[in-house]
Amino acid sequence: MSPSTNGNLDGTPSSIKTPQVKFTKLFINGEFVDSISGRTFETIDPRNGEVIAKVAEGDKDDIDLAVKAARHAFDHGPWPRLSGFARGRIMMKFADLVEEHVDELATLDAVDAGKLYGWNKMFEIPSGANNLRYYAGAADKIHGETLKMSRELHGYTLREPMGVVGHIIPWNFPTTMFFMKVAPALAAGCTMVVKPAEQTPLSALYYAHLSKLAGIPDGVINVVTGFGPTAGAAVASHMDIDKVSFTGSTEVGRLIMQAAATSNLKQISLELGGKSPVIIFDDADVDLAADLAFTGIVFNKGEICVAGSRVFVQEGIYDKLVQKLKIKSQNWVVGDPFNPNSHQGPQVDKKQFEKILSYINKGKQEGATLLCGGNQHGDKGYFIQPTIFTDVEDNMVIAKEEIFGPVMSLMKFKTIEEGIERANATKYGLAAGIVTKNIDIANTVSRSIRAGVIWINCYFAFDTDCPYGGYKMSGFGRDLGMESLYKYTQTKSVVTPIYNSPWL
């Protein structure tokens, strides 16, 4: 199975799926409403550049309404006051509804984000439902501690919901990121305003609809579609939002920190950019190493923060690995996301498409060797060939900056110490991969790399139980696991004197 060399999409089905978009308005206080301004914006199909639908364009005024609804639902509504068990039951119903509508949701994310329909249906949408179930099961297990005080006092702590949360989610995983943020916040008893990426707003609006069907009270989940500099900025700076959780670029993360600092000092958690290394040692299984390295950069078109974009290969197996990667690239099928034979769909939009091609040109100009790829695939839509550069130097732009596309920088190293030093020579620290059969090497390198998640002889090995987040300029705070649940809570200490204490 190899990519077509003609100008058409590989094996495009005779009938390309076009979704019937049901929800295009803002979801505020349990109702779908027009934006106050009446403005809309177009969401574009990256397969062909055509308009899918016109979506309501929310701005500061709409965010104000959504926050007002969320604040009322938190201060006066039932959601924070329900038992954790009761919240969990409703979240379980929400999860069931997500799975019942999996085909429609998989279609929306395929046409809106260019993601593979089969992957969406089999993995990403069900994973979102399971994320809900995980935190539904944790909702009645949010406990404080009894304190052994040093004085004659009795003390204990309570974990209480944070309040109104603003979620700003990215376009590369519209479903995964929606539930990665919404599910733990729901379990904690928070209310929220969700600002989905303007490139991929459709599934978030559908999830808002399903949340109401599940029985989540009005005002608990509000979804405001719009642009980052208007709607997103209004979330970050709003005086009545208690926390913002953001996933996206480091540049926007800086702006959110500034907005939080100059408004109400709200808590923030940031999962930002990455330039993750994959370090392959001489003793590695070369076939496994090639699979991990290649998948690490082409999965989801390279539009993933933890993409293994810097691949360091020890010199003893370098040449052999280069050949295997070249063969994998030649056999990789770029095509329509509804075609079951496709491995990779289009980049999310024209802006991202042009950005990736500009980085490829920079790599050529700086003297890296183009092993394969490097061009647009076909003559329609935003498809890019998987691209591998060899002879990459650490100071080249393609080795330093996050490209967010299917572009690998392949580099050779000699010693373990060199591999560690070069892997750490980045402003980012989100993830890293290690491929070796030697447990001593695995332990040494995993302890030495400054990154939030280290994968040994695997890659993209996510699990709901496993916290995920970054070091350095990849941000702070953790998604997934119980750590994510706790970040949507406040710790309150309660202290009383022990009866008849003579000195209090």
Side-chain angles (χ1 to χ4, degrees):
M1 190 164 54
S2 60
S4 169
T5 55
N6 61 34
N8 299 317
L9 302 180
D10 302 293
T12 304
S14 57
S15 176
I16 298 177
K17 285 201 175 188
T18 302
Q20 294 182 343
V21 179
K22 299 177 181 177
F23 307 106
T24 59
K25 297 183 179 183
L26 313 180
F27 187 78
I28 298 176
N29 205 25
E31 301 293 337
F32 283 102
V33 296
D34 291 320
S35 62
I36 292 174
S37 69
R39 291 193 299 268
T40 61
F41 65 94
E42 296 175 342
T43 186
I44 303 298
D45 186 337
R47 299 175 299 169
N48 48 36
E50 296 176 1
V51 176
I52 305 168
K54 291 185 177 181
V55 179
E57 182 187 337
D59 57 21
K60 182 181 182 301
D61 291 338
D62 303 288
I63 293 294
D64 286 342
L65 277 183
V67 173
K68 183 178 179 181
R71 175 54 62 190
H72 187 272
F74 185 79
D75 290 343
H76 305 289
W79 190 251
R81 295 159 185 83
L82 289 176
S83 68
F85 176 77
R87 287 198 299 271
R89 289 189 66 178
I90 296 172
M91 292 173 67
M92 289 288 190
K93 177 70 178 299
F94 191 3
D96 291 343
L97 287 169
V98 170
E99 289 192 331
E100 287 174 21
H101 294 83
V102 64
D103 191 73
E104 291 172 273
L105 291 161
T107 300
L108 288 177
D109 278 354
V111 298
D112 217 12
K115 298 173 66 68
L116 297 179
Y117 169 80
W119 172 266
N120 294 339
K121 184 173 182 177
M122 295 300 295
F123 296 101
E124 188 159 348
I125 310 301
S127 176
N130 287 334
N131 204 307
L132 275 169
R133 294 189 179 104
Y134 176 91
Y135 289 106
D140 61 352
K141 301 170 183 66
I142 303 172
H143 305 304
E145 296 179 327
T146 301
L147 306 175
K148 186 179 185 302
M149 311 285 275
S150 61
R151 299 170 60 192
E152 293 189 26
L153 302 169
H154 168 64
Y156 62 91
T157 61
L158 298 170
R159 283 192 178 272
E160 298 183 340
M162 181 69 67
V164 177
V165 179
H167 296 300
I168 304 176
I169 61 178
W171 43 258
N172 56 335
F173 287 89
T175 289
T176 295
M177 291 298 176
F178 183 93
F179 288 112
M180 193 180 287
K181 297 185 182 300
V182 167
L186 284 174
C190 295
T191 61
M192 62 208 71
V193 177
V194 181
K195 208 297 282 185
E198 56 266 30
Q199 296 90 341
T200 55
L202 299 179
S203 58
L205 293 170
Y206 205 115
Y207 291 129
H209 162 69
L210 295 181
S211 73
K212 181 158 186 174
L213 294 183
I216 292 177
D218 293 349
V220 174
I221 295 178
N222 304 273
V223 178
V224 178
T225 51
F227 295 93
T230 50
V235 170
S237 62
H238 205 287
M239 292 294 292
D240 222 9
I241 287 180
D242 301 300
K243 179 181 179 67
V244 169
S245 176
F246 169 76
T247 297
S249 71
T250 298
E251 292 73 23
V252 176
R254 287 181 186 275
L255 297 176
I256 290 172
M257 286 191 74
Q258 292 168 1
T262 55
S263 57
N264 60 344
L265 287 176
K266 61 176 63 65
Q267 292 193 25
I268 59 175
S269 57
L270 304 173
E271 192 263 280
L272 306 175
K275 196 67 179 174
S276 299
V278 179
I279 313 166
I280 301 170
F281 291 90
D282 281 344
D283 70 312
D285 180 312
V286 180
D287 289 323
L288 173 65
D291 284 341
L292 295 177
F294 190 71
T295 304
I297 194 59
V298 297
F299 173 66
N300 202 54
K301 314 160 275 171
E303 294 176 345
I304 180 168
C305 298
V306 294
S309 53
R310 295 184 300 144
V311 179
F312 296 95
V313 186
Q314 203 162 15
E315 56 187 3
I317 60 169
Y318 180 85
D319 292 339
K320 187 182 295 186
L321 191 75
V322 166
Q323 292 307 311
K324 287 185 177 293
L325 289 171
K326 186 175 182 179
I327 292 170
K328 285 184 175 296
S329 178
Q330 292 168 344
N331 291 332
W332 191 250
V333 180
V334 181
D336 190 274
F338 289 100
N339 184 342
N341 294 321
S342 293
H343 298 140
Q344 176 185 319
Q347 310 305 138
V348 70
D349 64 4
K350 184 178 181 181
K351 180 180 178 181
Q352 186 64 20
F353 170 79
E354 291 177 344
K355 174 187 172 185
I356 295 166
L357 289 178
S358 73
Y359 271 111
I360 292 172
N361 286 332
K362 287 179 184 176
K364 295 175 184 177
Q365 292 166 6
E366 288 186 313
T369 301
L370 184 64
L371 178 70
C372 52
N375 296 304
Q376 177 180 3
H377 175 79
D379 56 6
K380 187 178 183 181
Y382 308 130
F383 298 83
I384 292 180
Q385 298 169 346
T387 300
I388 301 174
F389 282 102
T390 60
D391 303 313
V392 179
E393 301 293 336
D394 293 335
N395 60 355
M396 290 180 178
V397 171
I398 59 171
K400 293 192 300 183
E401 297 184 11
E402 184 176 40
I403 299 173
F404 225 65
V407 182
M408 178 193 298
S409 293
L410 200 56
M411 294 171 277
K412 187 188 299 185
F413 73 96
K414 293 183 178 181
T415 66
I416 296 173
E417 293 74 19
E418 180 192 349
I420 292 170
E421 182 178 355
R422 293 174 66 188
N424 278 330
T426 173
K427 63 184 179 181
Y428 297 112
L430 198 53
I434 302 166
V435 190
T436 180
K437 295 177 183 176
N438 187 316
I439 189 65
D440 295 328
I441 292 176
N443 285 334
T444 298
V445 178
S446 62
R447 297 293 182 97
S448 303
I449 299 298
R450 292 185 52 75
V453 58
I454 310 292
W455 290 304
I456 300 172
N457 295 328
C458 58
Y459 209 77
F460 299 135
F462 290 106
D463 188 90
T464 314
D465 272 306
C466 185
Y468 160 69
Y471 284 31
K472 299 188 281 187
M473 290 179 67
S474 290
F476 48 83
R478 294 294 181 265
D479 289 316
L480 300 177
M482 294 301 288
E483 284 194 45
S484 181
L485 176 61
Y486 294 149
K487 78 180 183 183
Y488 296 109
T489 66
Q490 292 269 32
T491 299
K492 176 185 286 183
S493 297
V494 181
V495 180
T496 57
I498 295 175
Y499 183 67
N500 280 339
S501 174
W503 50 278
L504 291 176

